[in-house]
Amino acid sequence: MASNVTNQSRNVFSKKLLADKEETLDDINLFSIMTVMSFLLSVPLMLYLEGIKFSPSYVQSTGVNLQELCVKAAIAGTCFHFYQQVSYSLLARISPVTHSVANSVKRVVVIVSSVIFFRTPISPINALGTGLALLGVFLYSRFKKAKPKAKAA
């Protein structure tokens, strides 16, 4: 729930910055600034919580292949970077609410795909949450279609 609240708050805040016509900040520049800021805010927390556990010698002592770990982390980071970049480009073109609903659909698709392809067991509470997300998306789409269009002057 906290993840959803912070994610949607970020979307609304970002959309307000993107909609400001006086500023020259576009979606890619905003994404870049937010990425650098989040990195700078996360590093002290990471060092405090992880500390020495993050050193290469500690990782190797646990038996983990450090080179493989770095390659996988680089691939995951690159994929997430491009996902976020597409997300910000999309946010510049649609409303934050539509963006949030699309994000909910994405999460449901990931959960359902995991259940189907990987045979991941799902608890009743997970099924309820997935069903609620689908119901919310369905109701949003119905209300959006029912809303009368504003006529151009």
Side-chain angles (χ1 to χ4, degrees):
M1 184 62 125
S3 170
N4 283 332
V5 169
T6 55
N7 189 29
Q8 302 343 319
S9 300
R10 183 202 66 192
N11 289 346
V12 170
F13 175 69
S14 296
K15 185 67 176 185
K16 285 185 179 193
L17 288 174
L18 290 171
D20 188 6
K21 299 298 180 196
E22 293 179 11
E23 296 292 325
T24 59
L25 206 57
D26 64 353
D27 55 333
I28 301 301
N29 287 331
L30 179 61
F31 169 68
S32 300
I33 290 170
M34 299 237 348
T35 300
V36 170
M37 287 175 50
S38 64
F39 173 76
L40 293 175
L41 290 171
S42 297
V43 166
L45 183 63
M46 184 268 308
L47 291 174
Y48 174 74
L49 293 175
E50 297 297 327
I52 191 73
K53 294 178 189 173
F54 193 67
S55 71
S57 59
Y58 178 82
V59 173
Q60 283 181 334
S61 72
T62 62
V64 174
N65 182 342
L66 189 59
Q67 184 178 3
E68 185 180 339
L69 177 67
C70 289
V71 168
K72 288 183 178 181
I75 291 170
T78 302
C79 290
F80 189 71
H81 173 80
F82 286 123
Y83 159 74
Q84 288 291 84
Q85 203 167 7
V86 169
S87 179
Y88 266 81
S89 295
L90 186 62
L91 182 61
R93 292 163 180 79
I94 60 175
S95 76
V97 174
T98 302
H99 190 271
S100 298
V101 169
N103 190 37
S104 295
V105 171
K106 176 201 62 144
R107 290 177 185 206
V108 169
V109 167
V110 168
I111 292 168
V112 171
S113 299
S114 173
V115 169
I116 292 171
F117 293 114
F118 302 117
R119 308 254 190 264
T120 304
I122 186 167
S123 70
I125 196 77
N126 292 118
L128 177 65
T130 302
L132 282 173
L134 286 172
L135 178 65
V137 169
F138 173 75
L139 291 175
Y140 175 76
S141 66
R142 300 307 286 168
F143 286 129
K144 188 149 177 127
K145 285 181 182 177
K147 182 181 170 186
K149 303 272 185 195
K151 294 185 179 184

